[in-house]
Structures are given as structure tokens and as C-alpha cells.
Amino acid sequence: MMKYLALFFYYSFFCFLLVSSTPLCGRVFEFLRQKICSRIFLELKSHANIEQYAHFGTGFKIKIGTYSSIGKNCKVPNNIQIGDYVMMGNNVTIFSSTHNFEKIDVPMLKQGISSRKEPFIMEDDVWIGQDVIIMPKVTRLAKGTIVGAGSIETKDFPEYSIIAGNPARLIRRRA
């Protein structure tokens, strides 16, 4: 019951508090969002930051590591696992479901939705630029990955990849 109450207060009030970089009061708002989200999420480690307007469904299965964040106006699945030291830019969207469209004799609207069952995993030391879209077939962002701003990621890449574009492609490896 407490999780539902905290979720209600988050979406009714706390998500509207100004970003953490706001002079004078930003750190207080960051602290308040962190406290309310610690009552919602499965795990929220120290120095994690949930920015203004972040949307995470119920969030009951979310795990967020140390010094990681969900950026301003981001939309993430309610079962995401975010490692340590993850930076997420503004307006990132991670899709976990898609419309079915295999039958051509049935309107797509009536074919239902396919949802990812397993959690989306974002490993340690990942940097996601602003306005990135991650499609449902992507299952994880590997350790040390950088995703360029405005990219649309449609598949998984190996550790320490720098990826960008639409669709995202490997630009080079960090190591």
C-alpha cells in the first residue's frame, strides 16, 4: 500500500519539482525525489538521481545503481536495471513493448501488443545522450557504452561501444 501511495505522490507532486541543477533549491528537489522514489523502486542506491518529469510506470521492479540517473523527461520501463555511474540525457525513451502486425487480414489495432518479459539491463558506466530512442528488441546496454544524442538503437552492441545514428551503428570502440 505504501508503494502505491508513494507512486501517487510522485506523479502528483514530486515529478514536477525543478531539475537538480536549479540554483539554490535544485539539490533539495533532487533529495526529495530520491526519497520518494526509494519508497517506490526495488532498489535505489546512494547518489542516484531521478530528474524532473521522469516517467517509469509503476517502477516497482526498478533497480538503480550508485551515481546513476534517469534524465529529465525520460520514459523508461518499470522493470529496468541501471548499473553504477550511468548518465542519461534528457528525453530518452526506452520502449519495452510494440504492436503486433504479423496478420495482414486483421487490423494492427486489434492484434494486441507484445511486451518484453525480462528487464532491460543498463550495465555500469553507460552514457546515453539526449533524445535517444531505444527500441524493444534491444535487451541491454553493455558496460562502458556511449549512445550519441538523437540516436535510435535497434540492436545490442558489445561492451565499450560508441554508437550513433538512425538506426544506430558502431562508430568505434572505446578500448
Side-chain angles (χ1 to χ4, degrees):
M1 184 62 167
M2 286 301 290
K3 282 187 178 271
Y4 286 102
L5 193 57
L7 190 65
F8 171 78
F9 283 116
Y10 173 79
Y11 284 118
S12 298
F13 176 72
F14 288 91
C15 76
F16 299 106
L17 297 176
L18 297 175
V19 294
S20 60
S21 60
T22 303
L24 302 175
C25 58
R27 292 289 174 202
V28 172
F29 296 155
E30 176 183 348
F31 174 79
L32 291 172
R33 273 193 299 271
Q34 184 181 41
K35 287 302 173 192
I36 196 77
C37 287
S38 70
R39 304 222 179 251
I40 299 168
F41 297 166
L42 192 58
E43 182 176 23
L44 184 67
K45 292 190 177 173
S46 65
H47 303 287
N49 183 24
I50 313 304
E51 281 294 358
Q52 182 182 35
Y53 307 126
H55 189 274
F56 43 77
T58 63
F60 296 162
K61 297 179 183 177
I62 290 178
K63 293 181 181 181
I64 300 181
T66 306
Y67 288 100
S68 292
S69 66
I70 297 176
K72 180 180 177 183
N73 201 36
C74 288
K75 294 166 183 62
V76 299
N78 64 2
N79 64 345
I80 191 169
Q81 293 179 10
I82 299 174
D84 298 330
Y85 302 99
V86 171
M87 298 181 290
M88 189 181 302
N90 297 339
N91 305 314
V92 171
T93 302
I94 301 172
F95 288 104
S96 63
S97 61
T98 185
H99 291 278
N100 296 326
F101 56 86
E102 290 76 24
K103 301 174 185 171
I104 59 172
D105 58 330
V106 178
M108 288 180 278
L109 181 66
K110 295 187 177 201
Q111 291 187 43
I113 294 175
S114 296
S115 295
R116 179 187 357 224
K117 303 289 187 261
E118 69 283 349
F120 180 82
I121 298 172
M122 201 176 296
E123 296 178 1
D124 297 340
D125 193 29
V126 169
W127 177 15
I128 305 172
Q130 183 168 322
D131 295 315
V132 168
I133 296 173
I134 300 174
M135 300 304 287
K137 287 187 179 181
V138 179
T139 60
R140 76 188 208 9
L141 283 176
K143 182 177 183 176
T145 297
I146 298 172
V147 184
S151 298
I152 299 179
E153 188 173 355
T154 59
K155 64 181 181 178
D156 293 329
F157 288 90
E159 290 184 349
Y160 300 104
S161 295
I162 298 175
I163 60 175
N166 177 7
R169 62 180 178 84
L170 181 65
I171 303 300
R172 70 178 178 93
R173 302 283 310 271
R174 288 179 56 203

